[in-house]
Amino acid sequence: MDFRPTEEQAAAAGLAARIFRDLATHERLAAAGTGTDDGLWKALTTAGLAAAVPDIGLLGLVLLLEEQGRTTAQVPFAATCVYGILAVGAHGSAEQRARLLPALGDGTAVATGAFPARGRIRSDGDGRLTGTVPAVPWLRDATHVLLPDAGHALWLVRTDAPGVATEEVDTTAPWSAGRLTLTGAEAEPLGTAPDAHDHVLRTARTAFAGLQAGVCAGSLARAVEYTSTREQFGRPLSTNQGVQLRAADAHMDTEAIRVTAYEAAWRSDEGLPFAEHALTAAWWASEAGKRVVHAGQHLHGGMGADLDHPVHRHFLWGRQLDAYLGCGSELLAELGAVLADAPHDVKERR
């Protein structure tokens, strides 16, 4: 395994870090409320970061999402790249790729996905879908939604199509979410491979684990800065052993999320099986992620209870990502099933 970024991946990550650092400020995030920062989204797409994802791969996307997570920037970057650019690139027809990828890359189209499949969407066999998804992240911004039906076939639905209704909802994190209701909505199939749904879900879990790594790193960085400058009894809080141990545990948890996300993404880019690796990364993102954001808030003491404090945004994102695409116990059950079904010789090699 070699997780060292290529020159293109490092350049894209550096550019993303500068844009997020300059534009995803606390003041702009507060002004955006639960919606998207349109100016930031335009800056990212104009810089070509979304369009670069097919070239830098899933590992490159994980690096970009880490930078987004550090600032909890409110843009549909992860959703558009995972459910749009990567999904269409991997499973779309030549016509779909030619029609959709340029618009997704330049930001004139925004994609999201209703994952994981929970049997809420039914297909009539003629490309019309019916059902309701209670909360879809970034639905308020989306032009296209990737949907799995009850049989795990993938469908693309335009949000302005007849039979599609959306309603604004609030989730733990300010992800511009909405309730999606389909009533005989016309859709186009995406991909014919039997494992297309599972591949998209694995990709999403890996990418959002990378986002969680950034959220945790940002929360921990804020806690380190606060405890290093906040004094109690004439010395910084960071000199207390209990504070140091709590921060050290949070650091190790953050690194565990990061390295498992890197491994799953690297294996995907190399064309290697990564089902259990994506589940492992998602499990760490869920279980360790919530520990880190709780620690970040607790290390801020009373300030961490302020809903307007920047660290609270990391807490909200971390808790949302904890449950998104499967909570820890659910992921662990899936991982156990995957390992139990693996051939005996594969188990021995592991």
Side-chain angles (χ1 to χ4, degrees), residues 248-260:
D249 286 342
H251 171 73
M252 294 303 297
D253 273 339
T254 301
E255 289 302 301
I257 301 169
R258 177 181 288 117
V259 73
T260 52

Side-chain angles (χ1 to χ4, degrees), residues 7-341:
E7 184 177 345
E8 292 79 7
Q9 290 170 338
L15 177 58
R18 290 195 298 274
I19 294 174
F20 285 125
R21 183 176 59 248
D22 292 344
L23 297 183
T25 62
H26 176 58
E27 293 74 21
R28 288 181 65 132
L29 291 170
T34 62
T36 292
D37 185 332
D38 293 328
L40 175 56
W41 179 235
K42 182 174 179 60
L44 291 167
T45 54
T46 300
L49 289 174
V53 168
D55 296 324
I56 62 176
L58 184 53
L59 181 55
L61 176 59
V62 166
L63 295 173
L64 300 184
L65 293 180
E66 272 195 85
E67 300 304 331
Q68 179 185 358
R70 291 178 197 275
T71 58
T72 60
Q74 290 173 204
V75 286
F77 191 64
T80 293
C81 292
V82 168
Y83 301 122
I85 293 172
L86 291 180
V88 172
H91 304 290
S93 65
E95 186 277 331
Q96 286 174 322
R97 293 195 297 270
R99 170 166 48 91
L100 295 171
L101 289 180
L104 291 166
D106 66 20
T108 54
V110 173
T112 188
F115 279 75
R118 301 190 187 277
R120 297 189 178 104
I121 303 300
R122 303 182 304 279
S123 168
D124 66 0
D126 294 322
R128 294 191 177 275
L129 306 181
T130 298
T132 299
V133 183
V136 180
W138 308 110
L139 181 62
R140 290 180 241 164
D141 304 312
T143 57
H144 296 78
V145 184
L146 184 62
L147 295 156
D149 64 18
H152 285 192
L154 296 180
W155 302 88
L156 267 178
V157 177
R158 287 193 61 93
T159 55
D160 60 358
V164 178
T166 62
E167 178 185 355
E168 182 175 325
V169 299
D170 289 331
T171 56
T172 301
W175 283 4
S176 195
R179 176 186 178 91
L180 179 67
T181 302
L182 305 177
T183 310
E186 186 175 345
E188 59 177 309
L190 184 75
T192 58
D195 66 340
H197 165 271
D198 293 343
H199 180 266
V200 171
L201 182 56
R202 290 193 293 268
T203 300
R205 282 172 164 163
T206 302
F208 280 94
L211 184 62
Q212 181 75 303
V215 169
C216 292
S219 174
L220 183 57
R222 291 188 182 280
V224 168
E225 180 182 8
Y226 178 80
T227 56
S228 297
T229 57
R230 175 72 170 179
E231 291 191 358
Q232 187 179 57
F233 306 118
R235 62 177 186 171
L237 289 172
S238 60
T239 61
N240 294 320
Q241 188 178 44
V243 172
Q244 295 172 3
L245 292 174
R246 191 75 187 276
D249 286 342
H251 171 73
M252 294 303 297
D253 273 339
T254 301
E255 289 302 301
I257 301 169
R258 177 181 288 117
V259 73
T260 52
Y262 283 7
E263 181 179 12
W266 175 82
R267 290 182 66 89
S268 174
D269 290 342
E270 293 295 314
L272 299 171
F274 70 112
E276 60 264 47
H277 304 85
L279 284 165
T280 301
W283 182 85
W284 276 104
S286 175
E287 292 294 307
K290 63 186 173 187
R291 288 198 297 265
V292 174
V293 296
H294 274 272
Q297 186 146 325
H298 291 165
L299 289 172
H300 278 77
M303 295 298 294
D306 182 356
L307 301 185
D308 295 324
H309 195 283
V311 76
H312 190 71
R313 190 176 292 108
H314 290 269
F315 175 77
L316 295 178
W317 277 63
R319 290 313 308 254
Q320 184 74 35
L321 287 164
D322 160 34
Y324 184 54
L325 300 179
C327 65
S329 57
E330 181 181 5
L331 295 164
L332 200 60
E334 286 188 47
L335 178 58
V338 169
L339 295 176
D341 290 341

